[in-house]
Amino acid sequence: MAGPQVVVVGGGPAAAALVHGLHRGGHEGSVVVLAGEGCTPYDRTAVSKGLLTGEVPTAPELFPEVLTADVVRHADVVEIDRAAREVVTGDDDRIGFDRLVLATGAAPRVPPVPGLDGPHASTLRDAAEAAVLAERLRPGARLVVVGAGLIGLEVAAAARTRGASVTVLEAAPTALSRVLPTVVSEVVLSRHAAEGIDVRLGTPPSAVVSSSSSSGQAVVVLADGTELPADHVLVATGVAPRTDLAAAAGLAVDDGVLVDERLVTSDPAIMAIGDVARVRAADGTTARHEAYTPAMAMGQHAARTILGEPTRFVDVPWSWSDQLDLSIQVAGWPDRADRWVLRGSAEDLDAGLFAFGVRDGRLVAATGVSRGRQVGRIVRGAQALVAAGLDVDDAALADPSTDLRRLARTG
Ligand SMILES: Cc1cc2nc3c(=O)[nH]c(=O)nc-3n(C[C@H](O)[C@H](O)[C@H](O)COP(=O)(O)OP(=O)(O)OC[C@H]3O[C@@H](n4cnc5c(N)ncnc54)[C@H](O)[C@@H]3O)c2cc1C
């Protein structure tokens, strides 16, 4: 018997993992991915790293053996007709579905500062934008990055590697505050400073205006009147989930499309996965992630649900960032920590510095930074401990000889 007709709106990593999972699980119905970007899915994490430095010539494709041009169609979906069980594309095609999966991701937010939406500024979300930005990062070019989050600092590092001079403006008093405690972010900032990157905290731009001199294309004006000449301004001030379609269709939305633990929305025929989805856990808490591995995990999970093996999506998120020679990793939910336990030292980044976030005696987050990939073993071990939900002892967390993965197994 033929399986359900699955329509996916998206074309990013979450959509790719879903289609791969359906294929591997022997899905017998048809699958169509309606992808706004006009290309088959690729690894978006290269956009602010290898694609800018030139180390990666083209964005690595995801599961090209399954995500063929027959499956992925270039189309912008403009409406979900829930009554007819159809989606409508910008070309007015109507495509019927038994199961619809929203994997529309997130889009950069641009703060309402004059000039940040102008000709001298851009955002960075996709490979096409990376190609344009990479062209501008010539040796000696002046780049001003607005926002010292993961993407802003990755771009700063890549631009510096290419010989550009870089200033980063951050409105908050700390950098990377969404994902790292200050003790770890300060290590990252000093590495940027050592490379000649000028990171200014508590310093939002007031305006970007066209330059009247030959000293650059634009001038970034600060609140105290300081003027920074710039050849280009990169706006990296966070993203917002692309929920418009879902909201217009009357699905429950609250900073993300709300889904239950099976990743099903308020309409049983429609699921949402990846950056756009906000998952409600059994205890009523909700979480939305902006990271590659959780997006892939949700895609695989949704595939199992469609294949008739529904289970609760329980995932401790994990993500990484590469900046200069530093590897940064984050597991769990840093925003839930009420205190941090440290391991290691900023003086020995070959071994790494780690901060473990604790709440009510349980580990809820692990963050770390190291030169090279050393950080991974410990943050991954801590991820298992977060998942185990056991009470943890501060001394054990701080002790470099404690094997966190084993602790997760043995309690
Ligand atoms: C520059 C950059 C670097 C990153 N680096 C890292 C990293 O190092 N580590 C990490 O863990 N995470 C990283 N991330 C985050 C990670 O890439 C995202 O979490 C992941 O891409 C989310 O996948 P997704 O499939 O949910 O959405 P997306 O990747 O955003 O894909 C959504 C797709 O849907 C399309 N779409 C949207 N609306 C429609 C519509 N109406 N019709 C048709 N198509 C539509 C969009 O064009 C897009 O192609 C990075 C993100 C960026 C932007």
Side-chain angles (χ1 to χ4, degrees), residues 10 13-14 36-37 44 48-49 75 77 104-105 125 274-275 291-292 319-320:
E37 263 184 75
R44 196 175 297 287
S48 49
K49 308 179 185 66
V77 173
T104 48
R125 182 80 191 170
D275 282 13
Y292 183 81
S319 62
W320 79 95

Side-chain angles (χ1 to χ4, degrees), residues 75-318:
D76 260 317
V77 173
V78 294
E79 189 192 335
I80 303 167
D81 183 340
R82 285 170 59 194
R85 291 273 176 259
E86 289 175 342
V87 293
V88 184
T89 72
D91 295 334
D92 229 8
D93 273 349
R94 298 184 76 91
I95 300 159
F97 63 83
D98 299 311
R99 278 282 190 168
L100 177 66
V101 184
L102 300 176
T104 48
R109 282 182 217 265
V110 178
V113 171
L116 280 191
D117 57 354
H120 306 299
S122 66
T123 56
L124 184 64
R125 182 80 191 170
D126 61 40
E129 290 166 333
V132 174
L133 181 59
E135 263 304 295
R136 298 187 172 178
L137 300 180
R138 296 173 307 278
R142 278 158 301 189
L143 177 71
V144 172
V145 177
V146 180
L150 288 172
I151 290 175
L153 289 180
E154 285 183 0
V155 172
R160 196 71 196 114
T161 308
R162 291 185 65 134
S165 92
V166 184
T167 305
V168 181
L169 304 177
E170 168 57 56
T174 55
L176 297 162
S177 54
R178 191 176 61 84
V179 285
L180 295 182
T182 310
V183 65
V184 181
S185 66
E186 279 174 350
V187 173
V188 179
L189 287 192
S190 29
R191 183 69 191 86
H192 279 260
E195 215 52 43
I197 297 168
D198 178 6
V199 182
R200 303 187 190 187
L201 302 175
T203 312
S206 298
V208 177
V209 296
S210 291
S211 171
S212 55
S213 76
S214 58
S215 64
Q217 304 291 316
V219 173
V220 180
V221 185
L222 307 183
D224 65 1
T226 304
E227 297 191 346
L228 304 173
D231 296 303
H232 192 69
V233 179
L234 191 272
V235 185
T237 45
V239 296
R242 287 186 176 112
T243 53
D244 299 8
L245 269 183
L251 299 175
V253 165
D254 179 10
D255 184 35
V257 180
L258 288 173
V259 293
D260 64 17
E261 286 183 306
R262 296 163 308 144
L263 308 180
V264 175
T265 68
S266 50
D267 180 331
I270 306 178
M271 305 177 77
I273 57 176
D275 282 13
V276 78
R278 175 170 287 279
V279 185
R280 188 189 299 280
D283 64 3
T285 57
T286 68
R288 188 177 69 75
H289 304 299
E290 294 167 5
Y292 183 81
T293 309
M296 298 287 269
M298 280 192 230
Q300 288 154 5
H301 188 89
R304 285 197 292 278
T305 298
I306 293 169
L307 290 164
E309 306 154 25
T311 48
R312 290 165 56 217
F313 176 74
V314 183
D315 183 52
V316 176
W318 171 84

Side-chain angles (χ1 to χ4, degrees), residues 5 13 18 32 92 110 112 118-119 123 136 152 173 203 229 240 269 302 325 333 341 355 367 374 392-393 402:
Q5 154 116 342
L18 167 74
V32 55
D92 229 8
V110 178
T123 56
R136 298 187 172 178
T203 312
D325 56 354
W333 299 272
V341 178
T367 68
Q374 167 68 7
V392 288
D393 180 49
T402 307

